[in-house]
């Protein structure tokens, strides 16, 4: 049984593979066919499947026939499959509607027909399948193709190839895809031969090379393309051409270019076509040329107006004495131009230069000097024609140059020479092998420091040009401006360039010799009728970028808490722009980064607030208008706190402290008494205080003898103040108030006593009520520092008063026998002595005279006398 | 008007200064000579003649293997005169300078006949040669040249008549090509004769072009 099934399937498969386009005989008992194997896309398709009774699949069985299109089931209703037949329509998942028209069981077998109203696939297989067991069994299939009729081929064009083997290549655009096999044929018709040819193209080809025998070179040929497929045919528009007029020649050869004698401005050109095309005697020809210095060929090639043979020809209207490179190209009538030939060069005959030279003069030299130092620059004007190779430029004092008046003979475009101060003009001429040009007059202006232009501004225009702008001078005497520019990284004077600008302009574009990332100094000079103005110069770059090199950081000084760094300026040629900032980045081992910006001019910076004996790293970032560059990283180390530094600090601190102490001591000495009064008031011990004791030798031990004092401790009186006791206090004192501080003072100090003894305080009431109180005066002594040993204490001399200071004193009348007053500064140097009363005699009169100088003491004396009386 | 008279006198003087046929040519077909298209046909014919002449040595080299058959050896070629007659290779038509008896039309007709003759001879031998590529290209060039000559002939013919050919020449040669040597000799002699005839065509075309220029 299994072998029978295999045999059946093999038979079916073989029948399927060998099936014809519109009919597939799967087996003698099954027949699937369609009347529309190729249809226009979207057209209806019908197919039928006839299964005869002898087919083993239907013998004695009820079957159901189903259709598939590309494995998609074409649905049919059960009613359609009954014997009475009928129509059913359904839309499958792909959208198209298929209809199984009928499946009829007749006497001879089964007949099923399917109809697809719109066949939208470009290619598909309709399969007939018998369903009585699962799965259904395919008994046959038919292929359906859908597409479009071919559109007419477009853009038919042909090009003749004259290189052997010579061919005529044609190509066209087939247009929209037909989805169907389309046969293209190329048809030609040679009129002169009354001959027609048809070339059948391989499938998919849309170009064809007609062989040499298929066209006549100089005869017209009509060509068209026909496209044919199952749905129709179309023909392109016929193309009528002469193959030679559609030929693209190989590049011709320029054999030789040379100047002919006495043919100024002309070159003779020998040329030929390529070897395989040399048989063509006449062609159209175009010539293009360029000078040796030029990079561009002439924009408009010179067409030779007629057909030319392969003979030497002459190219004229060329510049004299100029090297030209010449190329040619050819074509036949209106055929496409060949590629340009090889280039060949020659120099036209020379003639003397013509036209004037533009010049620019800079003059230096002091007014007193006899000669001016002149730097003259020149360049060809637009009208200047060198007409050959310039052999020299001559600057002369005379219009007709003679050797005597020649200031300069050079091949450069500038010259430096000494010019007599009286000279007003020089003459410049160019010379080549054929002669010299007529001299150009150059005026030597005496005034060269007139008013300058203002607001010169230079802007980059592009990489190789700069736009120079300035504020024009509104003066009728201005005749124009001169813009001068020079590369700043080279000091060669021959590199200075200039341009004359019209007076109405206030800007110009300079592009000659301008390179990006290079500095240029650009000066604008106003030109006046009688002189030249001062220049205004700016530095400019056409383009800026980051510097090529960063400066190397150098440590200038290192301290324990700061480091001073310095660096060199970047070389001009590596700067690549105007430096806008130097920034130092530094960080310690913990990574705390700080940035400090340096002043542009100083190129030094101090990194402060550093830790002693610490390591830092730093680099410099230099920025221009076009970018920034970081320098190499350097390691810095701060100094430690060394012994010397500590010693220095200690010494300085000690010195400072000492100075403070000395000043303090001096201050203390100068205000010794006051301080003593404030801090260590001398409080006499009432128990041990007595005048008697004062008189004792013991108590006087501290007080040197008068003679000694005279010799060693002369105390000068520098101040005498009378302490004005407030009356209130006094009055209170008079009212038995004894706790007055002043009164305490009077009780405790003989100085205070002396204050209290001021004559201003000696009112009768006060004296009357206080018999024991004695007014004192403060006596401050001063003496030259040199004469006063610091260790020596002052000696205070008691005034000659008999009034007891204290009660005890009365009991102990003994007192120093003799006190001596020292001469006061500012008074006479005479020494005044105070003695006891009993010491009268010759000194008494003298004493009286001296007392006039001491009113206080005098008052005391008077008071004493009065008490005696 | 005076300029035209002077021009006519100059043309007449020039015509007298050269050969008589140009006079005849100029007088008979003056309106055709002035036709720039005719001048172009002359130029094109000159180009194609040069092309044919340039191709002959290469074709000879590719077709002839016998070392004794040398293209430009007059002495060797004289030895082949008998074989030429025996093989039935007819002589090329004679071309002469334009004269009263040898008019432009006659000249062009002879050119066409001669080209047709050599075309037929080469077609006869090409079937017997192994390497036919260059010979086929030569045949094509001869065909193209003949097309140009015929166009000129058509232009100068007062009464259109078919170009005379010698149909017997080819049949005669094909029947005599019995062996390889005969094929070699026939090819060689045809190429030699074609070379000579081509040079005659060059001269004749130059004569016609010169007459045209002088007429202009």
């Amino acid at each position: 049984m299994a072998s029978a099934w295999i045999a059946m399937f093999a038979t079916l498969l073989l029948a399927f593979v060998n099936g014809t386009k519109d009919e597939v005989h799967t087996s003698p008992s099954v027949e699937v066919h369609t009347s529309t194997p190729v249809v226009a896309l979207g057209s209806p398709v019908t197919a039928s499947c006839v299964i005869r009774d002898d087919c083993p699949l239907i013998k004695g069985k009820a079957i159901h026939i189903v259709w598939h299109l590309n494995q998609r089931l074409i649905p049919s209703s059960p009613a359609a499959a009954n014997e009475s037949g009928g129509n059913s329509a359904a839309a499958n998942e792909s959208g198209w509607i298929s209809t199984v028209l009928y499946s009829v069981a007749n006497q001879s077998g089964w007949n099923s027909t399917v109809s697809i109203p719109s066949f939208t696939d470009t290619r598909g297989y309709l399969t007939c399948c018998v369903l009585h067991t699962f799965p259904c069994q395919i008994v046959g299939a038919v292929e359906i193709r859908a597409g479009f009729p071919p559109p007419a081929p477009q853009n038919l064009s042909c090009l003749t190839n004259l290189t052997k083997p010579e061919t005529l290549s044609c190509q066209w655009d087939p247009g929209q895809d037909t989805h169907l096999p389309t046969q293209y044929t190329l048809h030609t018709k040679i009129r002169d031969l009354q001959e027609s040819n048809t070339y059948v193209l391989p499938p998919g080809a849309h170009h064809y090379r007609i062989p040499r025998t298929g066209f006549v070179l100089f005869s017209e040929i009509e060509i068209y393309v026909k496209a044919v497929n199952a749905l129709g045919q179309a023909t392109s528009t016929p193309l009528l051409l002469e193959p030679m007029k559609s030929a693209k020649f190989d590049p011709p050869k320029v054999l030789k270019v040379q100047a002919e004698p006495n043919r100024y401005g002309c070159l003779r050109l020998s040329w030929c076509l390529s070897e395989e095309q040399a048989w063509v005697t006449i062609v159209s020809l175009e010539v293009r040329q360029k000078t040796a210095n030029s990079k561009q060929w002439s924009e408009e090639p010179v067409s030779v107006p007629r057909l030319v043979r392969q003979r030497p020809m002459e190219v004229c209207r060329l510049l004299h004495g100029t090297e030209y490179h010449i190329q040619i190209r050819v074509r036949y009538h209106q055929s496409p131009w060949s590629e340009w030939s090889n280039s060949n060069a020659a120099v036209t005959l020379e003639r003397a230069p013509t036209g004037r030279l533009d010049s620019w003069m800079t003059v230096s030299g002091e007014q007193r000097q006899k000669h001016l130092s002149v730097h003259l620059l020149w360049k060809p004007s637009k009208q200047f024609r060198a007409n050959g190779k310039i052999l020299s430029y001559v600057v002369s004092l005379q219009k007709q140059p003679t050797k005597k008046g020649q200031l300069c003979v050079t091949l450069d475009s500038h010259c430096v020479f000494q010019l007599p101060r009286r000279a007003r003009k020089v003459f410049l001429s160019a010379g080549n092998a054929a002669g010299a040009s007529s001299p150009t007059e150059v005026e030597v202006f005496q005034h060269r420091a007139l008013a300058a232009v203002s607001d010169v501004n230079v802007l980059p225009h592009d990489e190789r040009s700069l736009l120079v702008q300035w504020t024009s001078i509104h003066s009728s005497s201005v005749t124009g401006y001169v813009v001068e520019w020079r590369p700043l990284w080279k000091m060669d004077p021959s590199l200075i360039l200039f341009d004359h600008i019209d007076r109405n302009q206030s800007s110009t574009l300079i592009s000659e010799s301008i390179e990006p990332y290079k500095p240029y100094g650009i000066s604008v000079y106003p030109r006046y009728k009688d002189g030249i103005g001062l220049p205004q110069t700016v530095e400019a770059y056409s383009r800026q970028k980051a510097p090529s090199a960063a400066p190397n950081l150098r440590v200038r000084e290192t301290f324990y808490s700061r480091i001073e760094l310095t660096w060199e300026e970047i070389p001009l040629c590596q700067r690549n722009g105007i430096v806008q900032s130097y920034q130092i980045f530094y960080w310690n081992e913990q990574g705390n980064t700080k940035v400090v910006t340096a002043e542009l001019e100083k190129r030094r910076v101090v990194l402060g607030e550093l830790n002693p004996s610490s390591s830092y790293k730093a680099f410099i970032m230099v920025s221009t208008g076009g970018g920034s560059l970081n320098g190499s990283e350097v390691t810095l180390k701060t100094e430690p706190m060394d012994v010397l530094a500590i010693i220095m600090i200690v010494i300085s601190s000690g010195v400072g402290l000492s100075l403070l102490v000395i000043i303090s001591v001096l201050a203390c000495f100068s205000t010794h008494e006051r301080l003593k009064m404030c801090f260590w008031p001398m409080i006499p011990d009432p128990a041990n205080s007595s005048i008697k004791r004062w008189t004792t030798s013991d108590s006087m031990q501290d007080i040197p003898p008068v003679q000694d004092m005279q010799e060693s401790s002369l105390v000068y009186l520098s101040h005498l103040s009378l302490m004005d006791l407030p009356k209130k206090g006094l009055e209170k004192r008079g009212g038995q108030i004894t706790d007055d501080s002043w009164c305490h003072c009077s009780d405790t100090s003989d100085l205070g006593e002396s204050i209290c003894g001021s004559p201003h305080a000696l009112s009768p009431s006060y004296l009357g009520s206080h018999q024991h109180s004695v007014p004192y005066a403060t006596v401050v002594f001063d003496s030259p520092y040199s004469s006063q040993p610091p260790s020596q204490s002052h000696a205070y001399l008691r005034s000659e008063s008999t009034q007891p200071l204290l009660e005890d004193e009365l009991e102990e009348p003994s007192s120093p026998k003799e006190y001596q007053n020292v001469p006061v500064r500012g008074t006479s140097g005479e020494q005044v002595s105070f003695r006891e009363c009993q010491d009268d005699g010759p000194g008494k009169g003298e004493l009286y005279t001296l007392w006039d100088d001491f009113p206080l003491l005098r008052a005391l004396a008077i008071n004493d006398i009065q008490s005696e009386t | 008007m005076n300029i035209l008279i002077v021009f006519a006198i100059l043309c007449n003087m020039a015509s007298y200064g050269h050969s008589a046929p140009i006079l005849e040519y100029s007088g008979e077909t003056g309106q055709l000579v002035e036709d720039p298209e005719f001048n172009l046909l002359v130029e094109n014919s000159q180009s194609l003649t040069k092309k044919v002449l340039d191709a002959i040595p290469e074709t000879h080299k590719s077709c002839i293997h016998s070392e004794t058959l040398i293209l430009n050896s007059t002495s060797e070629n004289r030895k082949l005169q008998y074989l030429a007659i025996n093989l039935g290779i007819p002589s090329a038509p004679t071309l002469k300078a334009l004269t009263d008896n040898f008019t432009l039309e006659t000249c062009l007709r002879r050119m066409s006949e001669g080209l047709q003759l050599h075309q037929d001879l080469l077609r006869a031998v090409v079937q017997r040669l192994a390497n036919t590529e260059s010979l086929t290209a030569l045949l094509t060039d001869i065909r193209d040249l003949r097309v140009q000559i015929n166009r000129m002939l058509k232009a100068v013919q007062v009464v259109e008549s078919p170009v005379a050919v010698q149909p017997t020449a080819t049949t005669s040669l094909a029947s005599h090509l019995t062996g390889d040597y005969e094929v070699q000799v026939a090819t060689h002699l045809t190429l030699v004769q074609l070379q000579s005839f081509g040079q005659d065509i060059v001269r004749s075309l130059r004569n016609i072009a010169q007459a045209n220029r002088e007429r202009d």
Side-chain angles (χ1 to χ4, degrees):
Chain A
M1 183 64 186
S3 59
W5 276 107
I6 291 169
M8 186 189 72
F9 275 115
T11 308
L12 286 171
L13 188 63
L14 188 64
F16 184 74
V17 170
N18 295 330
T20 58
K21 188 182 283 184
D22 60 344
E23 190 172 351
V24 177
H25 296 282
T26 55
S27 70
S29 58
V30 179
E31 185 177 291
V32 181
H33 67 88
T34 177
S35 60
T36 52
V38 179
V39 294
L41 206 64
S43 299
V45 169
T46 57
S48 62
C49 180
V50 179
I51 307 170
R52 288 208 294 265
D53 280 340
D54 57 350
C55 178
L57 284 175
I58 64 170
K59 274 184 179 175
K61 297 171 186 170
I63 62 159
H64 180 55
I65 299 173
V66 294
W67 289 86
H68 290 89
L69 175 62
N70 290 341
Q71 297 181 337
R72 295 191 302 266
L73 176 67
I74 300 174
S76 60
S77 63
N82 60 23
E83 290 185 1
S84 60
N87 293 334
S88 69
N92 69 352
E93 64 276 7
S94 63
W96 44 258
I97 298 169
S98 63
T99 306
V100 178
L101 291 175
Y102 54 85
S103 294
V104 181
N106 52 26
Q107 292 177 348
S108 61
W110 286 81
N111 185 0
S112 178
T113 303
V114 68
S115 173
I116 300 170
S118 177
F119 193 88
T120 51
D121 289 355
T122 56
R123 192 171 191 174
Y125 284 95
L126 271 171
T127 53
C128 177
C129 202
V130 174
L131 182 66
H132 67 96
T133 57
F134 188 80
C136 76
Q137 301 301 315
I138 296 170
V139 293
V142 65
E143 184 188 8
I144 309 290
R145 297 196 70 164
F148 302 104
Q154 303 291 319
N155 304 325
L156 174 64
S157 63
C158 297
L159 196 67
T160 308
N161 169 37
L162 292 178
T163 306
K164 289 180 180 176
E166 292 143 336
T167 54
L168 181 61
S169 298
C170 295
Q171 60 181 8
W172 58 91
D173 179 7
Q176 187 189 8
D177 186 8
T178 62
H179 305 296
L180 296 173
T182 305
Q183 179 67 59
Y184 289 91
T185 49
L186 188 71
H187 299 261
T188 62
K189 187 176 178 183
I190 303 168
R191 291 183 174 180
D192 287 323
L193 292 178
Q194 299 295 318
E195 181 182 303
S196 297
N197 291 306
T198 300
Y199 304 96
V200 179
L201 274 71
H206 303 298
H207 57 87
Y208 189 75
R209 286 183 180 177
I210 301 171
R212 174 68 182 88
T213 53
F215 61 94
V216 176
L217 283 172
F218 291 101
S219 290
E220 284 185 337
I221 182 171
E222 185 182 310
I223 305 170
Y224 63 91
V225 180
K226 184 185 275 185
V228 180
N229 69 9
L231 298 176
Q233 64 176 33
T235 305
S236 71
T237 306
L239 179 68
L240 187 66
L241 60 89
E242 187 184 314
M244 280 301 290
K245 291 181 180 175
S246 297
K248 184 175 181 180
F249 282 66
D250 293 338
K253 293 176 187 172
V254 175
L255 302 173
K256 192 177 182 183
V257 181
Q258 60 182 0
E260 293 286 303
N262 298 321
R263 296 292 298 163
Y264 292 100
C266 292
L267 289 173
R268 191 173 176 81
L269 178 74
S270 300
W271 64 281
C272 69
L273 294 172
S274 71
E275 196 174 341
E276 290 191 343
Q277 294 151 14
W279 56 271
V280 182
T281 52
I282 52 168
V283 287
S284 300
L285 191 138
E286 271 190 355
V287 181
R288 71 175 182 181
Q289 72 276 345
K290 71 178 182 74
T291 57
N293 301 328
S294 173
K295 291 177 181 174
Q296 294 288 327
W297 292 93
S298 52
E299 289 180 2
E300 287 290 324
V302 180
S303 289
V304 179
R306 55 188 172 79
L307 296 170
V308 293
R309 295 173 184 277
Q310 295 180 59
R311 293 174 185 164
M313 56 179 291
E314 206 168 48
V315 182
C316 289
R317 296 183 183 178
L318 304 174
L319 297 174
H320 302 289
T322 307
E323 184 180 355
Y324 279 97
H325 293 256
I326 293 181
Q327 287 185 333
I328 59 167
R329 63 178 180 178
V330 294
R331 68 175 179 179
Y332 183 80
H333 288 272
Q334 299 305 313
S335 73
W337 284 107
S338 71
E339 299 299 322
W340 288 101
S341 71
N342 62 315
S343 177
N344 219 322
V347 181
T348 52
L349 295 178
E350 287 194 4
R351 281 197 152 176
T354 54
R356 55 175 286 114
L357 293 160
D358 284 338
S359 61
W360 170 235
M361 180 185 286
T362 55
V363 177
S364 58
E366 292 180 8
Q367 292 290 328
R368 292 174 186 175
Q369 286 181 347
K370 217 175 171 183
H371 287 82
L372 296 169
S373 178
V374 174
H375 184 203
L376 184 65
L377 307 153
W378 57 85
K379 66 176 184 178
S381 66
K382 288 179 181 173
Q383 295 78 29
F384 182 80
R385 297 284 177 267
N387 293 338
K389 187 181 179 185
I390 297 294
L391 297 177
S392 65
Y393 293 97
V394 178
V395 182
S396 174
L397 276 171
Q398 296 161 352
K399 195 166 187 178
Q400 297 301 324
T402 58
K403 284 202 171 178
K404 192 179 176 185
Q406 283 180 355
L407 295 166
C408 184
V409 179
T410 179
L411 195 55
D412 296 330
S413 58
H414 72 107
C415 182
V416 179
F417 52 87
Q418 296 292 315
L419 186 71
R421 183 167 288 281
R422 56 184 168 75
R424 294 289 178 267
K425 290 175 183 173
V426 294
F427 297 92
L428 174 64
S429 64
N432 62 14
S437 69
S438 55
T440 302
E441 189 177 292
V442 181
E443 195 169 357
V444 182
F445 288 109
Q446 294 299 307
H447 303 291
R448 308 192 68 86
L450 301 175
V453 295
S454 57
D455 301 330
V456 173
N457 189 22
V458 180
L459 302 169
H461 185 257
D462 56 42
E463 281 206 344
R464 298 195 174 272
S465 59
L466 290 163
L467 180 67
V468 186
Q469 297 173 322
W470 63 90
T471 303
S472 55
I473 300 170
H474 298 290
S475 169
S476 59
S477 60
V478 174
T479 59
Y481 303 93
V482 175
V483 175
E484 178 192 276
W485 65 99
R486 68 178 74 197
L488 294 179
W489 74 98
K490 290 179 185 173
M491 298 311 291
D492 188 354
S494 67
L495 299 174
I496 300 174
L497 297 165
F498 67 96
D499 202 3
H500 290 287
I501 309 297
D502 191 72
R503 66 190 296 267
N504 299 323
Q505 293 184 18
S506 60
S507 68
T508 186
L509 196 68
I510 56 172
S511 56
E512 193 178 349
S513 299
I514 299 290
E515 295 177 29
Y517 319 121
K518 301 282 187 186
Y520 292 89
I522 295 149
S523 304
V524 179
Y525 295 80
R527 298 175 71 215
Y528 295 91
K529 286 176 182 172
D530 53 347
I532 303 290
L534 289 168
Q536 285 292 314
T537 304
V538 293
E539 182 186 343
Y541 287 78
S542 62
R543 280 282 183 277
Q544 295 188 49
K545 64 178 181 181
S548 302
N552 292 321
L553 284 176
R554 284 192 291 108
V555 177
R556 192 175 180 190
E557 279 186 274
T558 305
F559 302 96
Y560 67 92
S561 65
R562 61 191 178 93
I563 294 174
E564 185 176 348
L565 299 172
T566 184
W567 56 91
E568 298 295 326
E569 207 167 20
I570 308 170
L572 209 51
C573 56
Q574 295 181 327
R575 216 173 285 174
N576 300 336
I578 296 171
V579 175
Q580 292 181 337
S581 70
Y582 294 106
Q583 285 182 301
I584 314 296
F585 293 78
Y586 63 101
W587 61 96
N588 58 12
E589 288 168 343
Q590 285 76 40
N592 298 324
T593 306
K594 292 182 180 177
V595 186
V596 63
T597 303
E599 289 181 41
L600 282 176
E601 300 301 326
K602 290 185 176 176
R603 297 195 308 282
R604 56 177 287 274
V605 71
V606 176
L607 310 181
E609 299 177 3
L610 306 177
N611 295 326
S613 188
S614 298
S615 181
Y616 286 85
K617 288 189 174 179
F619 68 84
I620 187 168
M621 184 176 81
V622 57
S623 302
T624 66
S628 302
L629 181 72
N630 293 342
S632 54
E633 204 173 278
V634 294
T635 303
L636 311 171
K637 200 164 187 180
T638 49
E639 292 287 331
M641 289 281 284
D642 58 352
V643 177
L644 187 65
I646 294 169
I647 290 171
M648 287 299 290
I649 291 168
V650 168
I651 288 173
S652 57
S653 304
V655 168
L657 200 62
S658 303
L659 283 172
L660 187 67
V661 168
I662 289 167
I663 291 166
S664 303
V665 168
L666 286 175
C668 289
F669 273 114
S670 62
T671 57
H672 172 254
E673 291 301 329
R674 197 174 294 171
L675 287 170
K676 191 174 178 183
M677 285 293 293
C678 287
F679 296 107
W680 303 285
M682 187 178 283
I683 304 169
D685 185 359
N688 298 319
S689 175
S690 68
I691 294 173
K692 185 180 177 180
R693 283 194 180 179
W694 275 23
T695 58
T696 61
S697 59
D698 295 338
S699 62
M700 290 299 286
Q701 281 176 353
D702 294 330
I703 301 170
V706 176
Q707 288 77 11
D708 296 337
M709 286 177 74
Q710 283 179 347
E711 291 170 6
S712 60
S713 182
L714 292 177
V715 178
Y716 298 92
L717 182 66
S718 63
H719 179 67
L720 174 68
S721 68
L722 298 175
M723 303 302 289
D724 189 13
L725 291 171
K727 284 183 178 178
K728 258 186 183 176
L730 291 174
E731 283 170 4
K732 283 181 179 175
R733 184 176 290 233
Q736 301 300 314
I737 298 170
T738 56
D739 56 349
D740 184 75
S741 60
W742 280 103
C743 288
H744 281 292
C745 288
S746 64
D747 291 341
T748 55
S749 169
D750 52 353
L751 285 171
E753 204 173 348
S754 66
I755 291 166
C756 291
S758 167
H760 295 284
L762 294 178
S763 62
S765 60
Y766 177 79
L767 291 170
S769 59
H770 291 276
Q771 293 298 316
H772 304 295
S773 299
V774 180
Y776 280 84
T778 303
V779 183
V780 179
F781 289 94
D782 193 9
S783 67
Y785 178 78
S786 58
S787 63
Q788 185 180 6
S791 59
Q792 190 177 3
S793 61
H794 293 287
Y796 300 103
L797 302 182
R798 181 75 180 261
S799 63
E800 191 178 357
S801 172
T802 57
Q803 185 172 1
L805 287 170
L806 297 166
E807 296 287 342
D808 294 339
E809 195 177 5
L810 293 172
E811 292 171 3
E812 295 290 332
S814 59
S815 61
K817 291 182 179 178
E818 190 175 274
Y819 291 97
Q820 196 172 39
N821 199 1
V822 292
V824 179
R825 188 170 54 187
T827 60
S828 65
E830 193 176 353
Q831 189 175 1
V832 180
S833 303
F834 298 91
R835 290 181 179 273
E836 293 275 350
C837 295
Q838 64 266 22
D839 192 8
D840 291 331
K844 204 166 187 178
E846 186 184 352
L847 184 66
Y848 278 111
T849 56
L850 288 169
W851 279 14
D852 289 335
D853 294 327
F854 300 94
L856 179 61
L857 296 175
R858 187 179 178 182
L860 290 171
I862 292 166
N863 206 2
D864 199 15
I865 292 164
Q866 283 177 350
S867 63
E868 283 177 5
T869 55
Chain B
M1 187 66 186
N2 293 334
I3 294 170
L4 289 173
I5 293 168
V6 171
F7 180 70
I9 291 168
L10 284 172
C11 288
N12 281 329
M13 285 173 68
S15 302
Y16 278 112
H18 287 83
S19 56
I22 296 170
L23 260 181
E24 180 191 52
Y25 160 68
S26 305
E28 284 182 3
T29 57
Q31 76 279 5
L32 294 172
V33 173
E34 288 173 4
D35 186 1
E37 196 174 334
F38 186 86
N39 293 340
L40 190 60
L41 288 170
V42 175
E43 293 284 356
N44 293 344
S45 301
Q46 286 179 318
S47 295
L48 286 169
T49 310
K50 191 168 188 298
K51 191 172 194 300
V52 169
L53 290 171
D54 290 349
I56 286 173
E58 190 189 338
T59 309
H60 189 276
K61 191 177 177 182
S62 66
C63 297
I64 309 300
H65 310 301
S66 173
E67 293 180 359
T68 56
L69 302 175
I70 300 166
L71 187 64
N72 294 318
S73 174
T74 313
S75 58
E76 289 294 324
N77 290 337
R78 281 180 186 166
K79 297 176 185 173
L80 300 170
Q81 285 177 353
Y82 172 76
L83 271 180
I85 295 165
N86 205 26
L87 285 168
I89 297 174
S91 300
T94 307
L95 295 177
K96 295 187 289 187
L98 299 178
T99 61
D100 290 341
N101 299 326
F102 196 81
T103 61
L104 176 60
E105 185 182 345
T106 310
C107 180
L108 293 171
R109 189 177 296 279
R110 292 268 181 91
M111 284 185 200
S112 180
E113 287 172 356
L115 291 171
Q116 177 70 63
L117 169 67
H118 290 92
Q119 219 173 342
D120 293 340
L121 289 170
L122 291 173
R123 276 178 184 154
V125 297
V126 77
Q127 297 165 6
R128 305 290 299 273
L129 288 168
N131 188 3
T132 61
E133 188 181 343
S134 57
L135 193 57
T136 305
L138 180 64
L139 273 168
T140 311
D141 292 339
I142 294 168
R143 180 200 67 185
D144 289 4
L145 175 57
R146 189 163 163 265
V147 167
Q148 298 300 310
I149 300 294
N150 287 344
R151 285 176 69 183
M152 283 194 287
L153 185 59
K154 196 174 175 181
V156 298
Q157 276 178 335
V158 180
V159 180
E160 195 163 328
S161 58
V163 177
V165 291
Q166 297 176 352
T168 51
T170 50
T171 51
S172 141
L173 175 63
S175 61
H176 290 92
L177 294 176
T178 52
D180 184 60
Y181 182 72
E182 284 76 14
V183 173
Q184 290 278 300
V185 170
T187 309
H188 169 74
L189 287 174
T190 306
L191 289 174
V192 169
Q193 186 169 283
L194 178 62
Q195 191 178 39
S196 174
F197 184 69
Q199 285 161 353
D200 286 347
I201 291 175
V202 170
R203 278 189 282 269
S204 295
L205 288 173
R206 194 184 298 147
N207 186 213
I208 294 167
Q210 191 177 3
N212 274 353
R213 279 198 296 275
E214 287 173 358
R215 179 72 182 168
D216 292 342

